[in-house]
Amino acid sequence: MKQDMILILDLGSEENPKLAREIRAMGVYTEIHPHDISAEALSALPGVKGIILNGGPNRVVDGVSIDAGDAVYQSGLPVLCADHKGEPALPTDDAARADLLRRFVFETCKAEANWNMENFIADQVELVRRQVGDRKVLLALSGGVDSSVVAALLIRAIGKQLTCVHVNHGLLRKGEPEQVVEVFRDQMDANLIYVDATDRFLDKLAGVDEPEHKRKIIGTEFIRVFEEEARKLEGIDFLAQGTIYPDIIESGTKTVKAVKSHHNVGGLPEDLGFELVEPLKMLFKDEVRACGKALGLPDNMVYRQPFPGPGLGVRCLGAITRDRLEAVRESDAILREEFANAGLEGKVWQYFTVVPDFKSVGVHDGLRTFDWPVILRAVNTVDAMTATVEDVPFALLQKITARITSEVKGVNRVLYDLTPKPSGTIEWE
């Protein structure tokens, strides 16, 4: 079904995702594109009913205030200038802002509220079938929310043309590889290939301490593993990924600096041997969950805690060592167990541990120690673009601290991260 669209052109605003979500919440689809979109690219977008020029603090580039090109102003489409210095600016009052947007979308642009998950799924199924035809697709199946929803959508679209590959890169949580195999191979009857590449990944990462370098090594090595698995199969032309909209936005635009690259965006090698299938790349995190529900996935899969593509590699800060990686894995398992026991599982959006690459003096059994700290992180969010810190009961923090310092080798301190996003990010790297 053809859906109406409101196009947001990025003129340096840091609130593009918020604006996009506000319009989608009205039932109208929206996308964010560069300010200098060409006439050809504009005409290729289906169902555009209006354009919002969203300016902001990054509008001045190299001393010049950027603007949309002639293609926009000559398109004949309604245009709303939402600029912190221009007219009309979007109000800082929520009710007035919502009223202005609603009048522009529905009265000026005459858009219809036809954006919903059923229509999205139907469109993506059609697009995937058109893209893939009778050929085969290889899916990187981590078992997380994004890849699980992609798997369900692709099974609906192309069935047995899909082969799922689960790579154990040695950076997964405790018990996770076994759980992924049990759920997807045994319960969902997926065509699943399991690859244990722990040594391969950790050898490549040895001595690498720069976060972006680590991400790109992990992303590149993932692709190499899939290429090797694809060569063992016949007729694999496509690689499916669980890329979502925040991955793309956070990897940077022409006017907004990258927050961090994502392994499935900034980490892909230039000589990628597959054509990508990314049916969720325009969805925010809560929309991905809604899509999973609409596809019939169970709640314990749809609402599973998010886990980054590079896994514990971005929680073992600095150069990854096997002993410190194990400290992350074991402390994370304790945190998750205690949160579940306290009734917080499913109530807190994401919680995990981080082990930095430095040590401090401590005492254990009357003896001096020189060991790592473990940092606890627990946050709540809707769309992963902003996040608040969970107010964890102090008694629970004390219990978790006692367990980690007594059960996890090489650890003598536990800290709690109180930083929201922004100014922090959800992950530490």
Side-chain angles (χ1 to χ4, degrees):
M1 176 180 177
K2 184 177 180 181
Q3 299 179 96
D4 291 345
M5 180 196 301
I6 299 296
L7 189 64
I8 298 172
L9 296 187
D10 178 18
L11 286 166
S13 174
E14 295 175 346
E15 291 195 347
N16 289 323
K18 177 183 177 182
L19 180 58
R21 289 185 50 75
E22 288 172 324
I23 297 172
R24 289 190 186 185
M26 298 176 187
V28 178
Y29 184 61
T30 184
E31 291 183 4
I32 304 166
H33 285 259
H35 69 281
D36 56 355
I37 188 171
S38 66
E40 293 76 16
L42 181 58
S43 63
L45 292 172
V48 177
K49 293 292 187 178
I51 298 173
I52 297 178
L53 304 181
N54 200 26
N58 298 310
R59 184 163 188 169
V60 177
V61 179
D62 297 328
V64 178
S65 181
I66 59 175
D67 198 357
D70 292 341
V72 171
Y73 294 109
Q74 296 173 5
S75 67
L77 293 166
V79 176
L80 172 65
C81 295
D83 193 326
H84 72 304
K85 292 183 179 178
E87 293 293 339
L90 290 178
T92 56
D93 175 75
D94 289 344
R97 177 186 176 99
D99 182 64
L100 186 151
L101 288 175
R102 186 170 293 278
R103 285 189 285 109
F104 175 73
V105 170
F106 294 112
E107 297 176 16
T108 305
C109 299
K110 309 297 183 187
E112 293 185 22
N114 53 14
W115 159 243
N116 57 59
M117 275 306 135
E118 287 73 20
N119 289 343
F120 172 82
I121 291 169
D123 286 346
Q124 290 303 315
V125 166
E126 180 183 346
L127 288 171
V128 168
R129 288 173 177 169
R130 190 184 309 161
Q131 179 185 11
V132 173
D134 60 357
R135 292 176 287 174
K136 296 179 181 178
V137 180
L138 194 63
L139 169 64
L141 178 57
S142 69
V145 178
D146 302 336
S147 64
S148 298
V149 175
V150 169
L153 197 154
L154 292 181
I155 288 170
R156 177 174 294 192
I158 58 173
K160 293 298 185 180
Q161 293 169 241
L162 174 67
T163 298
C164 300
V165 176
H166 176 60
V167 176
N168 180 4
H169 50 21
L171 305 171
L172 296 171
R173 290 174 287 200
K174 188 173 183 179
E176 199 156 43
E178 296 83 359
Q179 183 184 37
V180 168
V181 171
E182 195 275 330
V183 169
F184 288 95
R185 179 183 289 168
D186 301 341
Q187 296 182 21
M188 297 184 66
D189 194 30
N191 183 16
L192 177 66
I193 297 173
Y194 172 77
V195 181
D196 187 349
T198 299
D199 291 338
R200 174 174 175 167
F201 275 82
L202 295 185
D203 288 347
K204 287 277 187 180
L205 290 164
V208 178
D209 60 0
E210 204 282 316
E212 292 297 278
H213 192 191
K214 287 201 292 187
R215 287 179 178 273
K216 290 185 178 181
I217 287 174
I218 293 168
T220 298
E221 205 61 23
F222 254 109
I223 298 300
R224 297 302 177 223
V225 172
F226 290 130
E227 286 177 332
E228 292 170 13
E229 293 304 318
R231 283 195 290 269
K232 299 175 185 177
L233 305 169
E234 292 186 0
I236 300 291
D237 296 310
F238 298 90
L239 174 64
Q241 292 195 139
T243 307
I244 64 174
Y245 216 8
D247 298 342
I248 296 171
I249 294 169
E250 287 192 338
S251 294
T253 68
K254 294 181 180 180
T255 51
V256 177
K257 294 181 180 179
V259 176
K260 61 185 176 183
S261 67
H262 288 259
H263 80 285
N264 53 351
V265 180
L268 293 175
E270 294 181 0
D271 59 344
L272 178 66
F274 303 110
E275 183 178 338
L276 291 178
V277 177
E278 300 174 303
L280 307 182
K281 68 180 180 180
M282 301 310 293
L283 295 186
F284 292 97
K285 195 73 179 188
D286 59 317
E287 294 170 337
V288 174
R289 296 186 192 279
C291 183
K293 287 288 290 182
L295 286 165
L297 290 176
D299 284 355
N300 62 356
M301 187 175 294
V302 171
Y303 297 106
R304 187 179 185 183
Q305 190 178 142
F307 192 58
L312 300 182
V314 293
R315 298 175 182 173
C316 185
L317 306 184
I320 298 170
T321 60
R322 292 180 186 246
D323 52 357
R324 197 154 45 83
L325 180 62
E326 195 59 24
V328 178
R329 197 180 338 264
E330 291 298 325
S331 60
D332 175 81
I334 290 172
L335 176 66
R336 288 189 289 129
E337 180 181 334
E338 292 299 333
F339 265 45
N341 292 341
L344 294 178
E345 186 177 37
K347 295 181 180 179
V348 181
W349 187 79
Q350 189 172 18
Y351 42 93
F352 55 89
T353 63
V354 172
V355 179
D357 189 15
F358 62 81
K359 295 184 177 182
S360 68
V361 175
V363 178
H364 183 71
D365 291 336
L367 299 176
R368 178 186 184 275
T369 62
F370 192 58
D371 289 324
W372 303 298
V374 167
I375 301 165
L376 310 181
R377 183 82 163 136
V379 296
N380 292 305
T381 184
V382 173
D383 57 11
M385 300 306 297
T386 62
T388 58
V389 177
E390 173 69 14
D391 185 9
V392 179
F394 188 65
L396 178 57
L397 290 176
Q398 288 180 306
K399 184 178 182 182
I400 293 169
T401 298
R403 284 198 60 190
I404 288 177
T405 53
S406 64
E407 297 177 29
V408 181
K409 186 177 179 181
V411 170
N412 63 6
R413 291 180 188 267
V414 175
L415 314 173
Y416 190 57
D417 183 355
L418 293 170
T419 314
K421 177 183 181 179
S423 60
T425 56
I426 292 175
E427 298 287 344
W428 270 59
E429 287 189 345

